[in-house]
Amino acid sequence: MANQRRLADNTNQYEAGHRGAPRKGIALLQGLAVCGQCGRRMTVRYSGPDSACPVYCCLADRNQTGSSLCQEVRAPAVDELVAQTLLKALEPDQIAIAIAALDEIAEETRSLEKQWALRRERARYDAERARRQYDTVEPENRLVARTLEKAWEDKLRLVGEIEQEYRRWKDREPLVLQAQDHAALQELAENLPAIWHSETTQPEDRKRILRFIVQEVVLDQKKIRGQVAIKILWQTGATSEHQIQRRVQSYDRDYGELELVRERITQLNAAGDMDRQIAKILNEEGVRSSRGKLFSYEKHLALTPPLGNPHSQDQRRRSQSAALA
């Protein structure tokens, strides 16, 4: 059944919810990206002069109704965050914590297994007891025989229901790790960063690694102005939420930190800092330009209005701080 599900999932039918087989393109989330606006799986296209920049696109509305695209999200920054989050989650100390948690879950699973064994044994015993009672009744006592037969059938039906419940529970049962598995996971955690960043590791190999750990990644660049909201759904069922700044062409197009930058530059101007110092401080504080790059004092963009005092011209000149590197 697991192999059949995997083969079905490898078909490239995003509309049906399939992820498709990992392909050679550099888009890390190929088949895993889900639109945060409509919930459909996103496709990948490549843009730029050499078609080297992957973009995650939600084409469902356009393909089905002829309307505009639901949304498009540039892949590089998203892929970098997901890769960093994956490697962080698989660091040796995190693996040790996860193994300890899995050991606790395994202990609970063993306890539940014993409870299921007792429940199944009890149901089979009751059914066998009902059968013996039916076998001992005299044939001429038809009313008693029919009553005992119905009781036996009810017990057999209960046995079947409990067995079905048990099989469903077994299908959902978490993985139980052995001692050799612990050592293998620790070794993998130590070697994974080198394997991930190796020049010999192909994009499809990274995608396969990612799919073992991550079920899907929901992207939404319309939820927060100037940001891409990212929700990672892990194979364990846990979720983690992240945000990255969108890369836009100018400060009047969805640059979510415009007011923050304007206010910070005004503060730094009031303190007497010049362009070079302002750019350095903004970079150290983690603020990025509209294109997601470091600020540079060589290029300027007026982010603050003139200040109403005798030195406004000088302060306005200083306030035109670094924008795009």
Side-chain angles (χ1 to χ4, degrees):
M1 291 297 294
N3 288 336
Q4 290 177 354
R5 287 195 297 268
R6 181 175 299 176
L7 288 172
D9 196 37
N10 283 342
T11 59
N12 295 320
Q13 296 179 357
Y14 291 164
E15 296 83 358
H18 300 302
R19 300 185 299 180
R23 298 196 294 271
K24 294 183 179 181
I26 62 174
L28 183 63
L29 303 184
Q30 169 250 317
L32 299 184
V34 173
C35 178
Q37 289 290 306
C38 67
R40 299 182 179 98
R41 205 165 293 276
M42 304 176 79
T43 60
V44 181
R45 72 174 179 86
Y46 288 84
S47 65
D50 300 322
S51 297
C53 180
V55 180
Y56 299 118
C57 311
C58 182
L59 305 175
D61 287 343
R62 191 184 72 178
N63 292 344
Q64 294 177 12
T65 65
S67 59
S68 59
L69 291 176
C70 190
Q71 65 171 335
E72 287 188 328
V73 181
R74 292 172 59 86
V78 173
D79 287 356
E80 181 180 358
L81 181 140
V82 172
Q84 291 176 355
T85 304
L86 172 71
L87 295 177
K88 178 68 176 177
L90 296 180
E91 288 179 349
D93 57 341
Q94 297 297 324
I95 289 293
I97 294 173
I99 289 175
L102 285 174
D103 287 342
E104 292 182 4
I105 294 173
E107 185 63 31
E108 294 177 2
T109 300
R110 284 189 286 269
S111 177
L112 290 173
E113 184 72 54
K114 292 178 182 178
Q115 296 179 30
W116 273 110
L118 291 173
R119 186 181 177 190
R120 294 165 65 207
E121 183 180 356
R122 179 67 185 181
R124 289 194 295 267
Y125 172 80
D126 289 343
E128 178 61 21
R129 185 167 178 268
R131 183 193 65 79
R132 290 197 303 269
Q133 290 175 337
Y134 173 76
D135 288 343
T136 59
V137 71
E138 295 295 335
E140 58 269 18
N141 294 330
R142 295 179 180 179
L143 180 60
V144 175
R146 284 198 296 269
T147 301
L148 293 176
E149 183 180 19
K150 183 178 184 304
W152 181 24
E153 291 175 350
D154 291 342
K155 296 297 183 182
L156 288 174
R157 188 179 302 109
L158 181 60
V159 169
E161 292 174 355
I162 291 176
E163 289 296 332
Q164 290 180 1
E165 290 180 18
Y166 174 71
R167 285 193 292 270
R168 286 195 293 268
W169 176 79
K170 287 290 289 184
D171 291 339
R172 300 191 304 268
E173 181 183 357
L175 177 66
V176 177
L177 299 179
Q178 305 300 323
Q180 59 270 26
D181 298 325
H182 294 188
L185 284 172
Q186 288 288 356
E187 183 179 0
L188 173 63
E190 294 172 359
N191 296 332
L192 183 59
I195 295 173
W196 185 271
H197 295 296
S198 173
E199 294 181 357
T200 60
T201 302
Q202 300 300 314
E204 57 267 36
D205 297 326
R206 295 187 181 93
K207 295 175 189 179
R208 290 190 183 97
I209 294 173
L210 182 67
R211 292 182 179 204
F212 280 121
I213 312 298
V214 173
Q215 183 175 341
E216 65 182 29
V217 180
V218 181
L219 306 178
D220 192 344
Q221 68 175 19
K222 297 183 178 181
K223 183 178 180 180
I224 304 173
R225 184 175 183 270
Q227 302 285 320
V228 179
I230 303 170
K231 178 186 290 186
I232 302 176
L233 177 59
W234 303 86
Q235 291 288 4
T236 60
T239 60
S240 60
E241 298 188 10
H242 314 268
Q243 295 176 9
I244 58 172
Q245 180 181 314
R246 286 182 57 195
R247 177 179 174 180
V248 295
Q249 295 300 318
S250 64
Y251 289 95
D252 59 354
R253 292 181 57 191
D254 287 332
Y255 180 69
E257 299 187 346
L258 178 59
E259 294 305 320
L260 174 97
V261 173
R262 191 195 306 274
E263 181 180 353
R264 190 71 182 108
I265 289 175
T266 301
Q267 294 173 353
L268 296 172
N269 282 336
D273 292 320
M274 301 296 289
D275 287 349
R276 183 189 294 271
Q277 296 170 298
I278 292 175
K280 183 175 182 294
I281 293 171
L282 291 176
N283 293 334
E284 290 175 348
E285 293 177 349
V287 183
R288 293 295 178 261
S289 71
S290 63
R291 296 186 180 180
K293 297 185 178 181
L294 297 174
F295 284 89
S296 169
Y297 72 90
E298 289 91 350
K299 299 179 181 179
H300 302 83
L301 180 67
L303 297 179
T304 56
L307 302 177
N309 59 53
H311 304 289
S312 61
Q313 294 298 324
D314 181 57
Q315 290 184 343
R316 182 178 184 180
R317 179 185 61 79
R318 293 206 310 268
S319 72
Q320 295 176 345
S321 54
L324 305 178

